[in-house]
Amino acid sequence: GTAGTVLRTTDGGASWRNVSPPGAADLQFRDVTAFDARRAVVLAIGEGEASRVYRTDDGGTTWTESFRNTDPKAFYDCLAFFDRRHGLALSDPVDGKFRILSTADGGRSWRVLPADGMPPALDGEAGFAASGQCLVTAGPKDVWLATGGGAHARVLHSADRGLTWTATETPVPAGDPAKGVFALAFRDRAHGIAVGGDYRPDQPSPRAAAVTADGGRTWRPATTPPPAYRSGAAWLPHSRTAALAVGPTGTDLTTDGGRSWRTIDTGSYDTVTCTADLSCWAAGEQGRVARLER
């Protein structure tokens, strides 16, 4: 989180230890991928050199900075991994196209991918560094990125680990720097959900969720969307129809694959994830961390 904070638990969330990288107090970490109990990668967001990647191989005791952005026009928002070795990070558009960073060694080294296969960005279009879920993967090669800020909120899909992309408009409202798709969640290569809205607390967020059953080629609005802006989403473990969405005003549950949502909690959370051991976790403002009780 903010102030360069990385926390680690080894007792199911009962207690947390600060394992923040030294010298990172001015950074904002917005995404983390843990491969096992010892190996993890974290992304710091921001303009220019504020965008960095760190990796640990000893549970956070020591960290290695494996990437520091030197392009003042780039701003990295999210990262996602296909497996323990291959992963991508997403930057807002540079010279009219989203920039993709790639690793093939678990985040130890990174390279910027060619922009030839990336369609042009819309005027004002960007990703949202809200939950670490504006870039998500499913399977060994499929990856999706979510956008907002432009005339349309779009989802871009690549089936070759970020080399070539296709863009699709979603029914989630955009047209303003505060509006768009903030998070994606795919349970397989075909079925996904998108959530977002307008993050300003005094603004409504109609049509704040959409669903796809064809890998993002088409999107349909939720018939009963979340009642307000949502920044994070996750499928419940081993479920084909149940998912969660979180935001500053609450948590919503769908049991029909994203078509309808109902609020189950009013706590403020920014991001949510679920794991194969049937647990779901959320984190939010002021250091809030929660585990879902089923």
Side-chain angles (χ1 to χ4, degrees):
T2 56
T5 303
V6 181
L7 305 177
R8 179 175 185 252
T9 180
T10 56
D11 55 12
S15 62
W16 295 81
R17 185 165 61 93
N18 189 329
V19 294
S20 303
D26 293 332
L27 301 179
Q28 293 193 50
F29 290 118
R30 294 289 180 88
D31 206 348
V32 56
T33 295
F35 305 109
D36 55 37
R38 299 181 64 79
R39 285 169 277 270
V41 174
V42 294
L43 171 73
I45 62 111
E47 296 179 350
E49 293 192 5
S51 286
R52 305 179 195 179
V53 178
Y54 292 80
R55 178 181 163 108
T56 182
D57 290 293
D58 54 15
T61 300
T62 61
W63 293 88
T64 300
E65 181 184 305
S66 60
F67 172 76
R68 181 180 297 203
N69 173 51
T70 57
D71 190 333
K73 295 179 289 186
F75 184 118
Y76 285 86
D77 301 296
C78 307
L79 61 79
F81 278 80
F82 303 93
D83 52 42
R84 296 170 69 95
R85 295 169 51 224
H86 300 91
L88 303 175
L90 166 70
S91 166
D92 288 341
V94 176
D95 298 328
K97 292 184 176 181
F98 284 96
R99 175 169 288 181
I100 303 295
L101 196 66
S102 175
T103 180
D105 56 12
R108 295 178 178 88
S109 63
W110 299 83
R111 68 183 181 95
V112 175
L113 293 182
D116 300 354
M118 178 68 71
L122 305 177
D123 289 344
E125 191 176 28
F128 291 108
S131 60
Q133 294 172 324
C134 63
L135 184 75
V136 300
T137 64
K141 293 186 177 181
D142 286 273
V143 57
W144 297 262
L145 69 88
T147 81
H152 305 282
R154 302 195 297 173
V155 172
L156 280 66
H157 170 240
S158 170
D160 55 12
R161 290 184 181 160
L163 294 176
T164 58
W165 298 80
T166 57
T168 303
E169 295 178 8
T170 76
V172 176
D176 184 279
K179 295 179 180 179
V181 176
F182 281 71
L184 299 169
F186 276 78
R187 65 172 173 83
D188 53 37
R189 294 181 61 198
H191 299 88
I193 53 179
V195 300
D198 189 325
Y199 70 74
R200 295 171 293 190
D202 60 339
Q203 297 295 315
S205 290
R207 292 177 286 147
V211 298
T212 181
D214 57 13
R217 288 189 293 272
T218 61
W219 292 86
R220 293 177 291 109
T223 54
T224 306
Y229 155 71
R230 297 294 182 251
S231 58
W235 291 91
L236 268 65
H238 313 299
S239 174
R240 297 178 60 83
T241 58
L244 297 168
V246 300
T249 62
T251 297
D252 304 300
L253 170 70
T254 178
T255 56
D256 57 10
R259 291 187 295 275
S260 62
W261 298 81
R262 62 182 177 90
T263 302
I264 60 171
D265 184 83
T266 57
S268 175
Y269 299 104
D270 297 319
T271 189
V272 60
T273 190
C274 297
T275 55
D277 66 353
L278 301 178
S279 61
C280 292
W281 300 79
E285 61 181 339
Q286 305 301 318
R288 292 168 59 91
V289 180
R291 186 173 64 183
L292 181 67
E293 294 184 354
R294 297 161 63 88

